[in-house]
Amino acid sequence: MKLRETLSRLDRAQRSLPFKIIASVVLVALAIAALSTYYVVVTMPGQKEAAAAVATESQAAKPAPGAAEPAKISQEERSAIEASQRMYEELLAARTSPGSVAVGLGVLTVIGLVVIWLGLGLTYLAFAAIAGGVAYPLSLLGLGGLSRVLLGIVALTAAFTALMQGLRVLFSGPGPVFAIARNMLIEATRMKVSLVFIVILIFAMAALPGSLSPDTPLRYRVQSFLQYGTAGSFWIIAILVLFFSAASVAFEQRDKQIWQTMTKPVASWQYILGKWLGGCGLAAALLVVCSAGVFLFTEYLRQQPAVGESAYLAPREGEGPQFSEDRQILETQVLSARESVDPVIPLTIDDPNFLEGVKQYILDNRTRDPEFAQTQSMYDKVVGDLYKSLLLQMRSIEPGAYKPFLFRGLSRARESSSPVTIRYRVDAGNNAPDQLYHITFVIGGVTYPSQDVTLGPTHSLSFLPSLIDENGNIEIIVHNALVQFTQEGQPIVTPNAGTISIPADGFELTFRAGSYQANFMRVAFILWIKLAFLAMLAITAATFLSFPVACLVAFAVFLVAEGTGFLSLSLEYYDAVNPGEKIVYYNIVVRAIGLVVAWMFKRYSDLRPTARLVGGRMLAWSSVAWGTTVLAVWSGALYGISVLIFRRRELATYSGQ
């Protein structure tokens, strides 16, 4: 009895207004103190100066290949040194910037305030103490992985429960729309079809960090976690939203529960809107929990030692003073928001000279085969094949030769102080993994030290934006050779063994256009917009179809929308002409249907939020706004269709039984 009375008094205390105010002030004060402590530690006097000295020493200790006197620094060497130093300064700035920690603490503080004002502050504190009391002994027994999974499950479950309670309070307003949305959230925690996916999602998110191998380079660990954490959680939540939204509407019609709703003064548009708000609320709660977990653990991984480091930005003993390449790629190409520019294609497919050459090629072939390219489809295929072949030839460089590539539209990069990164891929022969090629770049008139590259993988090289001209253009010359210089400045060219080719998607310039944190927020928002569209899609299907059929239709549309990118790429190679150069009309119909589907979901596919996040690509606000507008229009159209269907159906007719 005493225990029950004590618990009852504690429950009354955590629900009282004075406790909520005091606890909120304490929580905010702790968050501010933690952020201030972090900032003071990372900006202690001497840390930045010592690290900058290490950067200067590391670059000065590395003369370029072929340099006769290390004491003399050539223009190309000085440019490379300055680019590396500028990059190191950015790494130091990222380390001392409290932005990432502030965002993480902000997320935790908001969730904590929600818990406090729901009257569950002491309850959650007790659960946290119990979880810590169980996890700590497990870690002492050598079961650190199990301990972390347990803490992850408790944290994710607690955050999800708090957000669901907060949404119920948010939907406690008057009117049937909020009542239906609130009942749908309650239904989400009771229906088996939703509970199964929620449990799977929480366990998967808690176990995912333990699947990362510590022997893998840090940049790959971060990319893998972002890929599986973001894409995996989105797919699980999407399937849950589809099944749950369809089940909520279909089961109410099947079990005649909708009679109790529609016989009251509830309009069809109110019922559909309430169901959609409930589905969007469930998706938002799950997505916020998963996104917060992914963001916080990514920041934790970011502080771990990279390859060649003993600690964050601290070179390992015996590795030399140079900062880690693994760290450089992680900070500048993964945890970033970059824009990219491709080289200018000097020849278009509608160029008169090219079309004249195609005409002559067809006439020459018709002397041997009069039926060659007589139809429009055959002609288009010949034009496309010749154009691709010509582009490949323009991107091929023979041993000892070189080719220039012009990049335009780099005015923003020139105005920025951040280094510009060249991302390139080199193919030769069968891309033997044991072959090493020497590639030399001349960037804006400055010859950089030759790069030793393997065939197939993507490589990178950075340079200062000051090399870009006033018009935002820069010319980069690629030598298929090792280029060195004598003391007199005469070049010594050592050709590679074979001809190299640069794929169409294997050469680009990238530059920082925003912060990783803001990009992450935009990605999370657009994922929620997609989930909102899927909720309306499932509700619309369930208004006139049974649960299995509605799920099948909604899931099929979801897969088509997600696979539109692959569909568009496949249509480029899908031909209506068979090897005998005869038209297959069935293929024409299939291609026409594919083109219509690709057009319908093109904007949905072009967003590619997860791919942009994992690749460190910028998801611009313009893309977010346009994608949101398109998906909102589609959702509005589906909403109108579902309302019309419900108005025409006799959902609450008394049967006399």
Side-chain angles (χ1 to χ4, degrees):
M1 294 294 294
K2 292 184 178 180
L3 177 61
R4 182 177 300 177
E5 292 177 359
T6 302
L7 294 177
S8 178
R9 286 197 298 269
L10 291 175
D11 182 61
R12 288 194 299 271
Q14 70 178 354
R15 294 179 183 276
S16 64
L17 182 61
F19 175 86
K20 294 178 180 179
I21 295 175
I22 295 173
S24 299
V25 172
V26 171
L27 180 62
V28 173
L30 288 175
I32 295 174
L35 182 61
S36 302
T37 303
Y38 172 83
Y39 184 75
V40 169
V41 170
V42 299
T43 57
M44 290 179 62
Q47 280 200 7
K48 186 173 182 179
E49 291 77 6
V54 168
T56 305
E57 178 187 353
S58 67
Q59 298 305 327
K62 284 188 62 181
E69 297 180 13
K72 295 182 179 179
I73 301 178
S74 62
Q75 181 184 5
E76 56 269 19
E77 291 173 328
R78 186 180 301 278
S79 179
I81 291 173
E82 290 176 355
S84 298
Q85 289 177 342
R86 185 74 58 82
M87 189 174 300
Y88 202 88
E89 291 174 1
E90 289 194 354
L91 296 183
L92 292 175
R95 181 183 183 183
T96 58
S97 174
S100 299
V101 177
V103 172
L105 286 175
V107 172
L108 295 177
T109 303
V110 169
I111 294 177
L113 291 175
V114 171
V115 170
I116 291 172
W117 286 93
L118 287 174
L120 300 172
L122 294 178
T123 303
Y124 271 60
L125 189 61
F127 279 127
I130 294 173
V134 175
Y136 183 68
L138 290 177
S139 63
L140 294 179
L141 295 174
L143 301 175
L146 181 60
S147 173
R148 288 189 292 271
V149 170
L150 176 62
L151 290 176
I153 292 174
V154 172
L156 292 173
T157 304
F160 172 69
T161 305
L163 290 176
M164 289 293 286
Q165 291 287 349
L167 284 174
R168 292 178 189 177
V169 174
L170 185 64
F171 290 157
S172 60
V177 174
F178 288 117
I180 293 172
R182 186 170 61 254
N183 290 335
M184 194 172 182
L185 292 179
I186 297 174
E187 187 181 4
T189 58
R190 296 177 179 176
M191 190 177 295
K192 294 180 181 179
V193 68
S194 59
L195 279 177
V196 170
F197 283 100
I198 292 173
V199 171
I200 291 175
L201 179 62
I202 291 176
F203 272 79
M205 288 298 298
L208 181 58
S211 64
L212 303 176
S213 173
D215 299 328
T216 306
L218 184 60
R219 64 183 184 273
Y220 296 139
R221 276 184 281 161
V222 172
Q223 281 188 310
S224 297
F225 183 74
L226 285 174
Q227 175 68 42
Y228 293 114
T230 307
S233 60
F234 170 74
W235 274 80
I236 295 176
I237 297 173
I239 296 173
L240 165 61
V241 167
L242 287 173
F243 283 166
F244 174 66
S245 300
S248 180
V249 177
F251 288 171
E252 286 190 6
Q253 297 179 72
R254 184 196 65 184
D255 300 333
K256 306 297 188 293
Q257 295 178 359
I258 199 172
W259 289 14
Q260 303 176 11
T261 303
M262 302 308 292
T263 52
K264 299 174 183 178
V266 177
S268 298
W269 69 268
Q270 293 174 320
Y271 178 83
I272 298 298
L273 182 59
K275 289 293 184 181
W276 181 69
L277 286 178
C280 292
L282 175 63
L286 289 171
L287 190 62
V288 166
V289 171
C290 293
S291 299
V294 170
F295 181 85
L296 292 174
F297 191 78
T298 300
E299 290 300 322
Y300 167 77
L301 284 177
R302 188 180 198 171
Q303 303 294 326
Q304 300 305 299
V307 175
E309 292 181 346
S310 59
Y312 181 54
L313 288 183
R316 187 181 302 164
E317 185 177 356
E319 295 286 343
Q322 185 182 15
F323 64 91
S324 169
E325 179 185 7
D326 188 24
R327 172 68 59 186
Q328 170 188 336
I329 296 176
L330 171 66
E331 298 289 346
T332 61
Q333 300 184 34
V334 179
L335 298 181
S336 179
R338 300 173 290 117
E339 288 188 1
S340 62
V341 176
D342 295 325
V344 176
I345 301 176
L347 180 67
T348 60
I349 197 169
D350 55 355
D351 185 272
N353 294 329
F354 170 71
L355 294 179
E356 183 64 28
V358 171
K359 180 179 179 181
Q360 188 60 44
Y361 173 81
I362 292 176
L363 291 176
D364 293 341
N365 279 271
R366 283 178 181 173
T367 59
R368 298 184 296 271
D369 181 8
E371 298 298 324
F372 182 78
Q374 288 288 355
T375 63
Q376 185 63 40
S377 59
M378 294 180 184
Y379 176 81
D380 293 340
K381 183 177 184 303
V382 170
V383 172
D385 291 343
L386 289 177
Y387 185 69
K388 293 176 183 178
S389 176
L390 187 58
L391 289 182
L392 179 61
Q393 182 181 353
M394 295 170 61
R395 289 175 171 266
S396 299
I397 308 174
E398 297 180 353
Y402 63 87
K403 282 192 177 179
F405 295 87
L406 178 63
F407 292 84
R408 293 175 177 169
L410 293 167
S411 298
R412 289 186 59 191
R414 188 177 188 274
E415 297 171 357
S416 172
S417 60
S418 301
V420 181
T421 300
I422 304 174
R423 288 173 53 86
Y424 63 96
R425 196 169 82 239
V426 176
D427 295 333
N430 58 354
N431 282 350
D434 57 341
Q435 284 188 314
L436 200 66
Y437 272 50
H438 306 288
I439 307 298
T440 304
F441 290 91
V442 180
I443 306 173
V446 178
T447 304
Y448 270 61
S450 297
Q451 307 293 307
D452 297 334
V453 302
T454 53
L455 302 176
T458 300
H459 304 274
S460 61
L461 175 66
S462 298
F463 63 91
L464 289 178
S466 58
L467 297 178
I468 302 172
D469 65 23
E470 296 179 354
N471 298 321
N473 305 330
I474 189 171
E475 183 182 65
I476 297 179
I477 300 175
V478 182
H479 288 260
N480 183 13
L482 171 64
V483 180
Q484 298 173 300
F485 294 90
T486 63
Q487 295 183 6
E488 293 77 17
Q490 296 298 321
I492 302 175
V493 179
T494 306
N496 290 309
T499 300
I500 65 171
S501 62
I502 301 177
D505 58 347
F507 198 24
E508 63 178 358
L509 299 185
T510 65
F511 58 93
R512 185 186 295 273
S515 67
Y516 155 75
Q517 293 84 2
N519 205 41
F520 189 97
M521 299 302 174
R522 288 191 292 269
V523 167
F525 174 75
I526 207 66
L527 289 177
W528 179 75
I529 293 296
K530 284 188 172 186
L531 293 172
F533 165 73
L534 295 177
M536 181 55 69
L537 172 65
I539 290 172
T540 303
T543 55
F544 64 98
L545 298 173
S546 62
F547 172 69
V549 181
C551 290
L552 181 62
V553 171
F555 196 72
V557 174
F558 170 57
L559 291 180
V560 170
E562 288 292 327
T564 300
F566 299 101
L567 177 63
S568 301
L569 183 62
S570 301
L571 289 174
E572 295 181 6
Y573 300 94
Y574 191 82
D575 198 0
V577 181
N578 62 13
E581 295 191 349
K582 292 184 178 180
I583 299 177
V584 181
Y585 294 98
Y586 172 79
N587 290 357
I588 295 178
V589 175
V590 171
R591 179 179 174 82
I593 296 174
L595 289 173
V596 172
V597 172
W599 174 81
M600 291 176 60
F601 296 103
K602 183 178 185 302
R603 176 52 54 182
Y604 182 100
S605 177
D606 288 347
L607 289 171
R608 299 183 298 112
T610 302
R612 292 175 185 266
L613 179 66
V614 175
R617 305 286 179 164
M618 179 80 168
L619 180 60
W621 279 114
S622 58
S623 299
V624 172
W626 181 238
T628 302
T629 302
V630 172
L631 291 179
V633 170
W634 278 107
S635 299
L638 291 174
Y639 174 73
I641 293 172
S642 59
V643 170
L644 289 177
I645 292 174
F646 252 41
R647 284 180 177 176
R648 293 180 176 273
R649 297 191 62 184
E650 296 181 355
L651 298 172
T653 302
Y654 179 63
S655 62
Q657 299 179 359

XYZ file of all heavy atoms in Angstrom, residues 518-572:
418
model
N 21.438 21.228 -42.593
C 20.254 21.743 -43.281
C 19.807 20.799 -44.386
O 18.604 20.607 -44.607
C 20.555 23.131 -43.858
N 20.764 20.186 -45.065
C 20.418 19.225 -46.116
C 19.691 18.021 -45.521
O 18.737 17.494 -46.115
C 21.685 18.776 -46.839
C 21.412 18.296 -48.244
O 20.616 18.874 -48.978
N 22.068 17.216 -48.634
N 20.130 17.570 -44.358
C 19.475 16.438 -43.689
C 18.030 16.789 -43.356
O 17.126 15.953 -43.537
C 20.250 16.080 -42.419
C 19.810 14.803 -41.767
C 20.483 13.617 -42.011
C 18.722 14.769 -40.916
C 20.079 12.433 -41.422
C 18.302 13.601 -40.324
C 18.982 12.423 -40.574
N 17.791 17.999 -42.869
C 16.430 18.415 -42.539
C 15.540 18.446 -43.779
O 14.374 18.035 -43.745
C 16.449 19.787 -41.863
C 17.224 19.826 -40.564
S 16.580 18.650 -39.342
C 17.816 18.823 -38.041
N 16.089 18.941 -44.876
C 15.295 18.976 -46.115
C 14.980 17.561 -46.600
O 13.874 17.291 -47.082
C 16.042 19.759 -47.190
C 16.095 21.258 -46.948
C 16.615 21.998 -48.171
N 18.017 21.703 -48.427
C 19.030 22.404 -47.938
N 18.792 23.440 -47.148
N 20.273 22.096 -48.237
N 15.935 16.660 -46.480
C 15.706 15.269 -46.885
C 14.616 14.646 -46.031
O 13.709 13.971 -46.544
C 17.019 14.467 -46.783
C 16.747 12.969 -46.888
C 17.989 14.887 -47.875
N 14.679 14.848 -44.707
C 13.658 14.293 -43.825
C 12.278 14.860 -44.155
O 11.274 14.133 -44.155
C 14.018 14.570 -42.367
N 12.217 16.148 -44.479
C 10.929 16.765 -44.811
C 10.350 16.176 -46.088
O 9.151 15.858 -46.145
C 11.110 18.278 -44.957
C 9.866 18.984 -45.440
C 8.796 19.189 -44.587
C 9.762 19.428 -46.752
C 7.649 19.835 -45.024
C 8.624 20.066 -47.204
C 7.561 20.276 -46.333
N 11.168 16.022 -47.121
C 10.639 15.507 -48.386
C 10.254 14.038 -48.251
O 9.327 13.562 -48.924
C 11.662 15.721 -49.533
C 10.930 15.824 -50.876
C 12.681 14.608 -49.594
C 10.055 17.029 -51.013
N 10.927 13.283 -47.373
C 10.515 11.903 -47.109
C 9.130 11.877 -46.470
O 8.307 11.007 -46.783
C 11.535 11.201 -46.207
C 12.886 10.864 -46.835
C 13.813 10.234 -45.798
C 12.736 9.924 -48.029
N 8.872 12.828 -45.575
C 7.545 12.882 -44.963
C 6.480 13.264 -45.990
O 5.358 12.748 -45.942
C 7.540 13.886 -43.809
C 6.198 13.988 -43.158
C 5.612 13.091 -42.313
C 5.247 15.043 -43.330
N 4.365 13.521 -41.942
C 4.117 14.714 -42.544
C 5.254 16.236 -44.050
C 3.002 15.546 -42.472
C 4.145 17.055 -43.984
C 3.037 16.707 -43.196
N 6.811 14.155 -46.914
C 5.857 14.515 -47.971
C 5.522 13.276 -48.808
O 4.359 13.057 -49.186
C 6.440 15.629 -48.860
C 6.585 16.931 -48.060
C 5.568 15.860 -50.083
C 5.276 17.504 -47.576
N 6.517 12.459 -49.088
C 6.254 11.220 -49.826
C 5.339 10.297 -49.038
O 4.416 9.679 -49.594
C 7.575 10.511 -50.134
C 8.377 11.117 -51.265
C 9.560 10.220 -51.614
C 10.270 10.679 -52.871
N 11.318 9.744 -53.304
N 5.587 10.181 -47.742
C 4.749 9.316 -46.902
C 3.314 9.840 -46.842
O 2.360 9.049 -46.823
C 5.348 9.226 -45.499
C 6.689 8.496 -45.389
C 7.267 8.655 -43.989
C 6.542 7.017 -45.731
N 3.145 11.171 -46.817
C 1.802 11.742 -46.819
C 1.066 11.396 -48.114
O -0.136 11.083 -48.108
C 1.880 13.252 -46.636
N 1.782 11.431 -49.228
C 1.184 11.040 -50.505
C 0.776 9.563 -50.493
O -0.307 9.194 -50.966
C 2.167 11.315 -51.636
C 1.833 10.640 -52.935
C 0.775 11.085 -53.713
C 2.558 9.541 -53.372
C 0.452 10.456 -54.908
C 2.245 8.908 -54.559
C 1.190 9.368 -55.331
N 1.632 8.708 -49.938
C 1.321 7.283 -49.885
C 0.118 7.015 -48.979
O -0.686 6.111 -49.259
C 2.541 6.508 -49.385
C 3.767 6.526 -50.299
C 4.930 5.788 -49.649
C 3.443 5.901 -51.649
N -0.023 7.776 -47.892
C -1.186 7.605 -47.018
C -2.477 7.912 -47.763
O -3.463 7.169 -47.668
C -1.045 8.507 -45.791
N -2.480 8.998 -48.530
C -3.678 9.334 -49.298
C -3.934 8.307 -50.393
O -5.086 7.978 -50.695
C -3.519 10.739 -49.893
C -4.729 11.205 -50.694
S -6.277 11.125 -49.749
C -6.001 12.425 -48.554
N -2.872 7.801 -50.995
C -3.022 6.770 -52.025
C -3.699 5.529 -51.461
O -4.636 4.979 -52.073
C -1.645 6.415 -52.591
C -1.575 5.220 -53.552
C -2.350 5.530 -54.832
C -0.124 4.881 -53.877
N -3.255 5.074 -50.296
C -3.838 3.872 -49.695
C -5.279 4.119 -49.267
O -6.143 3.239 -49.425
C -2.988 3.438 -48.503
N -5.578 5.297 -48.718
C -6.946 5.607 -48.297
C -7.877 5.626 -49.502
O -9.001 5.095 -49.457
C -6.965 6.956 -47.553
C -6.267 6.816 -46.196
C -8.389 7.447 -47.365
C -6.068 8.128 -45.475
N -7.425 6.233 -50.598
C -8.256 6.277 -51.809
C -8.537 4.880 -52.337
O -9.673 4.567 -52.725
C -7.554 7.113 -52.890
O -7.283 8.420 -52.384
C -8.417 7.216 -54.138
N -7.522 4.021 -52.356
C -7.729 2.650 -52.839
C -8.698 1.891 -51.948
O -9.506 1.078 -52.432
C -6.385 1.924 -52.907
N -8.656 2.150 -50.628
C -9.517 1.412 -49.695
C -10.950 1.910 -49.699
O -11.823 1.247 -49.125
C -8.945 1.511 -48.285
N -11.228 3.057 -50.320
C -12.603 3.546 -50.345
C -13.508 2.699 -51.225
O -14.729 2.684 -51.025
C -12.642 5.000 -50.840
O -11.991 5.086 -52.113
C -11.958 5.929 -49.853
N -12.942 1.990 -52.206
C -13.780 1.188 -53.105
C -13.235 -0.219 -53.332
O -13.824 -0.988 -54.100
C -13.927 1.885 -54.455
C -12.643 2.036 -55.217
C -12.309 1.134 -56.217
C -11.761 3.065 -54.944
C -11.128 1.275 -56.929
C -10.587 3.216 -55.650
C -10.260 2.314 -56.644
N -12.141 -0.589 -52.658
C -11.573 -1.923 -52.806
C -11.453 -2.592 -51.446
O -11.386 -1.925 -50.413
C -10.180 -1.843 -53.460
C -10.111 -1.273 -54.872
C -8.652 -1.100 -55.289
C -10.838 -2.168 -55.863
N -11.418 -3.918 -51.452
C -11.194 -4.651 -50.212
C -9.754 -4.458 -49.754
O -8.900 -3.980 -50.516
C -11.484 -6.138 -50.415
O -10.597 -6.687 -51.385
N -9.469 -4.842 -48.524
C -8.142 -4.599 -47.963
C -7.027 -5.247 -48.778
O -6.042 -4.567 -49.114
C -8.105 -5.095 -46.511
C -6.728 -5.066 -45.908
C -6.098 -3.859 -45.631
C -6.050 -6.248 -45.633
C -4.821 -3.831 -45.086
C -4.780 -6.232 -45.090
C -4.169 -5.014 -44.810
N -7.116 -6.531 -49.157
C -6.003 -7.109 -49.929
C -5.796 -6.423 -51.273
O -4.652 -6.154 -51.670
C -6.410 -8.584 -50.098
C -7.414 -8.844 -49.028
C -8.136 -7.557 -48.853
N -6.894 -6.133 -51.971
C -6.770 -5.515 -53.290
C -6.267 -4.074 -53.164
O -5.431 -3.615 -53.956
C -8.113 -5.560 -54.041
C -7.981 -4.930 -55.415
C -8.602 -6.988 -54.158
N -6.741 -3.343 -52.161
C -6.281 -1.973 -51.949
C -4.783 -1.941 -51.649
O -4.049 -1.084 -52.166
C -7.065 -1.329 -50.810
N -4.327 -2.892 -50.821
C -2.893 -2.965 -50.515
C -2.088 -3.287 -51.770
O -1.012 -2.714 -51.998
C -2.628 -4.018 -49.442
S -3.227 -3.565 -47.807
N -2.610 -4.206 -52.580
C -1.914 -4.586 -53.806
C -1.793 -3.406 -54.759
O -0.712 -3.137 -55.311
C -2.651 -5.744 -54.481
C -2.031 -6.279 -55.786
C -0.646 -6.844 -55.521
C -2.935 -7.346 -56.402
N -2.879 -2.666 -54.943
C -2.862 -1.511 -55.849
C -1.936 -0.423 -55.320
O -1.091 0.125 -56.053
C -4.292 -0.971 -56.044
C -4.263 0.352 -56.802
C -5.148 -1.989 -56.781
N -2.067 -0.094 -54.039
C -1.251 0.977 -53.464
C 0.229 0.610 -53.482
O 1.086 1.443 -53.805
C -1.713 1.264 -52.036
N 0.526 -0.636 -53.143
C 1.924 -1.058 -53.114
C 2.505 -1.089 -54.520
O 3.686 -0.763 -54.729
C 2.045 -2.435 -52.461
C 3.441 -2.778 -52.042
C 4.035 -2.145 -50.961
C 4.170 -3.719 -52.733
C 5.329 -2.457 -50.579
C 5.466 -4.040 -52.361
C 6.047 -3.403 -51.274
N 1.703 -1.481 -55.510
C 2.183 -1.492 -56.893
C 2.505 -0.078 -57.365
O 3.546 0.160 -58.001
C 1.132 -2.130 -57.799
N 1.642 0.882 -57.045
C 1.913 2.272 -57.427
C 3.164 2.779 -56.721
O 3.991 3.495 -57.314
C 0.694 3.158 -57.098
C 1.016 4.633 -57.355
C -0.506 2.735 -57.920
N 3.337 2.409 -55.460
C 4.517 2.820 -54.704
C 5.793 2.283 -55.345
O 6.783 3.013 -55.506
C 4.377 2.317 -53.267
C 5.621 2.455 -52.443
C 6.236 3.686 -52.272
C 6.193 1.350 -51.830
C 7.389 3.814 -51.502
C 7.338 1.464 -51.072
C 7.937 2.696 -50.906
N 5.787 1.021 -55.721
C 6.972 0.436 -56.356
C 7.255 1.087 -57.711
O 8.421 1.329 -58.060
C 6.777 -1.075 -56.531
C 6.764 -1.910 -55.255
C 6.562 -3.390 -55.595
C 8.061 -1.739 -54.462
N 6.200 1.368 -58.467
C 6.395 2.018 -59.766
C 6.986 3.412 -59.573
O 7.912 3.825 -60.293
C 5.059 2.094 -60.526
C 5.193 2.989 -61.754
C 4.622 0.698 -60.958
N 6.466 4.149 -58.591
C 6.972 5.503 -58.340
C 8.436 5.470 -57.913
O 9.253 6.279 -58.370
C 6.121 6.187 -57.273
N 8.791 4.533 -57.040
C 10.176 4.445 -56.579
C 11.111 3.949 -57.681
O 12.294 4.271 -57.685
C 10.264 3.500 -55.369
C 9.683 4.070 -54.098
C 10.500 5.230 -53.557
O 11.744 5.232 -53.723
O 9.900 6.143 -52.971
N 10.582 3.159 -58.600
C 11.428 2.601 -59.656
C 11.393 3.361 -60.961
O 11.888 2.861 -61.978
N 10.815 4.567 -60.952
C 10.712 5.342 -62.186
C 12.082 5.680 -62.760
O 12.268 5.732 -63.985
C 9.905 6.626 -61.937
O 8.602 6.275 -61.482
C 9.790 7.452 -63.200
N 13.058 5.932 -61.894
C 14.400 6.232 -62.385
C 14.987 5.084 -63.190
O 15.565 5.290 -64.270
N 14.837 3.863 -62.677
C 15.313 2.695 -63.410
C 14.495 2.478 -64.681
O 15.026 2.062 -65.707
C 15.243 1.451 -62.526
C 16.082 1.541 -61.286
C 15.506 1.833 -60.068
C 17.456 1.346 -61.337
C 16.276 1.925 -58.919
C 18.234 1.438 -60.203
C 17.645 1.731 -58.988
N 13.185 2.772 -64.604
C 12.335 2.623 -65.778
C 12.763 3.581 -66.885
O 12.858 3.198 -68.057
C 10.875 2.868 -65.399
C 9.857 2.822 -66.543
C 9.823 1.442 -67.177
C 8.467 3.212 -66.033
N 13.045 4.831 -66.532
C 13.466 5.811 -67.536
C 14.781 5.406 -68.179
O 14.966 5.545 -69.396
C 13.602 7.191 -66.884
O 12.373 7.603 -66.320
N 15.697 4.883 -67.378
C 16.971 4.427 -67.928
C 16.778 3.222 -68.837
O 17.421 3.117 -69.892
C 17.930 4.082 -66.786
C 19.343 3.651 -67.192
C 20.055 4.776 -67.937
C 20.143 3.231 -65.970
N 15.878 2.327 -68.460
C 15.637 1.136 -69.278
C 14.993 1.487 -70.608
O 15.275 0.856 -71.635
C 14.748 0.151 -68.516
O 15.343 -0.241 -67.305
N 14.135 2.511 -70.611
C 13.458 2.893 -71.852
C 14.436 3.416 -72.894
O 14.147 3.363 -74.099
C 12.394 3.952 -71.561
C 11.149 3.465 -70.811
C 10.251 4.633 -70.462
C 10.386 2.438 -71.643
N 15.588 3.917 -72.442
C 16.584 4.386 -73.404
C 17.155 3.232 -74.224
O 17.641 3.436 -75.338
C 17.712 5.110 -72.663
C 17.267 6.390 -71.968
C 18.424 7.078 -71.281
O 19.572 6.610 -71.457
O 18.187 8.080 -70.574
